[in-house]
Amino acid sequence: MNTFHFDFYSTLVVMVAVLILGRFIIARVKVLQDYNIPEPVVGGLIATVVIFGVYKFAGLELKFESSLKDPLMLAFFTSVGLSADFASLKKGGRLLGIFLVIVCGLLILQNLIGVGAAYAMGVNPLVGLLGGSITMSGGHGTGVAWADIFKSMPYNFSAATEVALSCATFGLIMGGIIGGPVARFLVKHYKLKTPDKVQDDNPHGFEAPTKERLITSVSFIESLALIAICLLVGTLAKGFERGYLAGLDIQYIKDFNLPTFVYCLFCGVILRNVLSALKIHQVFDREVSVIGNVSLSLFLAFAMMTINLWELVSLALPMVVILATQAVVMVLYAVFVTFKFCGKDYDAAVLAAGHCGFGLGATPTAMVNMQTVTSHYGPSHISFIIVPLVGAFFIDIINALVIQGSLSLIAG
């Protein structure tokens, strides 16, 4: 098998081309517009199929420079943190608590489905757990982190990394595909009243990615500096966790593994509110959201175009059954639980689309799902407050506890 490596510059060109391709196709295919399929998903899936064809028929594996991937992801989550003031928590109010409970319920259900199906088919229950909340709600980062644990004593599951990546990849694809159609079904079926798309001149930054924003070079540098500080502090905090906490002889602390982006997001929240409270600097929300939206789109484009379809094709039947079941349950859960208990209104439909995004894939997918829905039907301010807080922060903490509890049950 020959390998062709794309360097930094050619990889960047391909990433941008994927986004342009997605926008070009969506603009000309009405069904993609109607079902709110995100641009990075459309362009990324086409690129994935092409790359797979080259791999399968030409015997050539395409490798892309990945140095941009993590900084883009971290920049996005940092911008989410910088856009969230403490007043946002108050605005989330009761609905934030309800949505958090709903998300916790799905985490437990995903593990019950995965482990139960694994036992029923006579395969290693760790396969089911990796096909549960670890990768479905945790994504690639959480999947790889736990796979490293499962490969060591006392689990000795050598194929953990491949299983985790395959499951997370499947979830990322499905999370981006089903979110928009679920929201569309809810809006149409329940004849929901949608807001005027132009009623708000100052929407939440991530709610209107196409809105024009006045930016100067000076203000841009200030916003970029804030993001850079959060990236530095967040990565240093993660390094401290690895170096110090991992050395403590307390099993629950050693197993508690938060992704780097959680630290960056939390740093953004603290930095924004401290600067505001001390009246030192007021974060330029519109500008930060531009940086975040660009980072989000490029990150998703890279994630989609680097999916190894041959890993999915090689999945054994048990994995296919588990993942297909998870996708169906996610749709049903979003419609009959998330939508119902979040109010059965337009905001609840947008929350359901977002939940599909990070319930099967990742929070960036959830944000793109919601952006696509709100650009079609109108704004949903509360959704863009609640989903980043729950999907990018609370869920990783809660998921770590749920996974540890599930492991205890399996071991017992």
Side-chain angles (χ1 to χ4, degrees):
M1 175 67 65
N2 296 319
T3 303
F4 181 82
H5 292 272
F6 287 78
D7 62 12
F8 177 91
Y9 303 105
S10 54
T11 298
L12 181 59
V13 169
V14 175
M15 291 164 64
V16 175
V18 164
L19 294 178
I20 295 175
L21 176 62
R23 177 176 300 180
F24 176 83
I25 293 175
I26 290 175
R28 288 159 178 78
V29 180
K30 189 173 186 299
V31 67
L32 297 178
Q33 300 172 26
D34 291 341
Y35 284 91
N36 307 310
I37 306 300
E39 294 171 2
V41 173
V42 175
L45 282 177
I46 293 175
T48 300
V49 172
V50 171
I51 292 170
F52 177 72
V54 172
Y55 172 85
K56 188 72 174 178
F57 301 107
L60 181 63
E61 183 176 2
L62 304 182
K63 290 285 188 179
F64 295 93
E65 170 61 47
S66 61
S67 59
L68 268 175
K69 180 183 177 183
D70 287 345
L72 287 171
M73 179 186 68
L74 296 179
F76 162 68
F77 282 111
T78 296
S79 65
V80 172
L82 288 170
S83 299
D85 55 13
F86 288 139
S88 296
L89 293 174
K90 297 179 181 178
K91 292 177 183 177
R94 179 171 172 270
L95 187 57
L96 174 61
I98 292 173
F99 189 67
L100 189 56
V101 171
I102 291 171
V103 167
C104 292
L106 180 65
L107 295 177
I108 297 172
L109 181 59
Q110 286 177 332
N111 286 341
L112 289 175
I113 292 172
V115 174
Y119 274 123
M121 292 181 286
V123 298
N124 190 334
L126 293 179
V127 174
L129 199 56
L130 285 169
S133 72
I134 290 180
T135 56
M136 294 295 97
S137 292
H140 286 80
T142 304
V144 172
W146 281 95
D148 289 340
I149 295 173
F150 292 162
K151 288 166 68 175
S152 59
M153 293 289 292
Y155 305 105
N156 292 324
F157 183 33
S158 60
T161 299
E162 289 73 20
V163 171
L165 287 174
S166 297
C167 292
T169 297
F170 176 88
L172 186 67
I173 294 174
M174 292 305 300
I177 290 177
I178 69 175
V182 164
R184 181 181 186 272
F185 165 78
L186 293 172
V187 170
K188 298 293 184 182
H189 182 74
Y190 291 97
K191 298 180 173 60
L192 302 178
K193 182 181 179 180
T194 57
D196 183 355
K197 287 190 284 187
V198 296
Q199 70 177 16
D200 192 352
D201 292 329
N202 188 31
H204 189 283
F206 294 101
E207 190 172 355
T210 59
K211 180 180 176 62
E212 293 184 1
R213 297 164 170 86
L214 297 177
I215 297 175
T216 66
S217 59
V218 174
S219 65
F220 184 86
I221 291 175
E222 291 175 348
S223 297
L224 192 61
L226 294 177
I227 290 178
I229 291 172
C230 293
L231 294 182
L232 175 61
V233 174
T235 52
L236 289 176
K238 179 61 179 179
F240 172 78
E241 176 208 288
R242 289 174 177 169
Y244 177 73
L245 296 183
L248 296 178
D249 191 24
I250 303 175
Q251 189 63 35
Y252 279 96
I253 292 181
K254 290 195 292 186
D255 291 343
F256 195 72
N257 194 326
L258 284 180
T260 306
F261 69 76
V262 176
Y263 292 102
C264 293
L265 182 145
F266 194 54
C267 180
V269 174
I270 295 175
L271 184 59
R272 183 221 169 90
N273 288 279
V274 168
L275 292 177
S276 178
L278 298 179
K279 299 185 181 342
I280 297 175
H281 176 75
Q282 186 64 41
V283 174
F284 190 179
D285 289 323
R286 291 178 298 168
E287 190 169 60
V288 168
S289 70
V290 167
I291 298 175
N293 281 311
V294 171
S295 300
L296 169 63
S297 296
L298 289 172
F299 166 75
L300 274 181
F302 183 88
M304 293 300 299
M305 75 186 196
T306 54
I307 287 173
N308 293 328
L309 280 184
W310 47 93
E311 289 184 357
L312 291 181
V313 171
S314 64
L315 283 176
L317 178 61
M319 290 304 307
V320 175
V321 172
I322 291 173
L323 296 175
T325 304
Q326 296 285 19
V328 172
V329 169
M330 181 70 255
V331 172
L332 296 175
Y333 196 89
V335 171
F336 294 106
V337 179
T338 306
F339 175 70
K340 178 180 179 181
F341 288 97
C342 286
K344 297 181 69 174
D345 55 10
Y346 175 66
D347 289 327
V350 178
L351 283 173
H355 197 187
C356 289
F358 73 76
L360 284 182
T363 304
T365 309
M367 298 297 286
V368 171
N369 282 351
M370 295 194 303
Q371 286 174 349
T372 309
V373 172
T374 55
S375 66
H376 188 89
Y377 293 110
S380 174
H381 304 318
I382 193 69
S383 301
F384 282 85
I385 293 172
I386 290 176
V387 168
L389 287 173
V390 174
F393 184 67
F394 290 115
I395 192 173
D396 287 289
I397 298 174
I398 299 170
N399 199 16
L401 299 175
V402 171
I403 294 167
Q404 191 61 52
S406 301
L407 276 173
S408 300
L409 291 176
I410 293 175

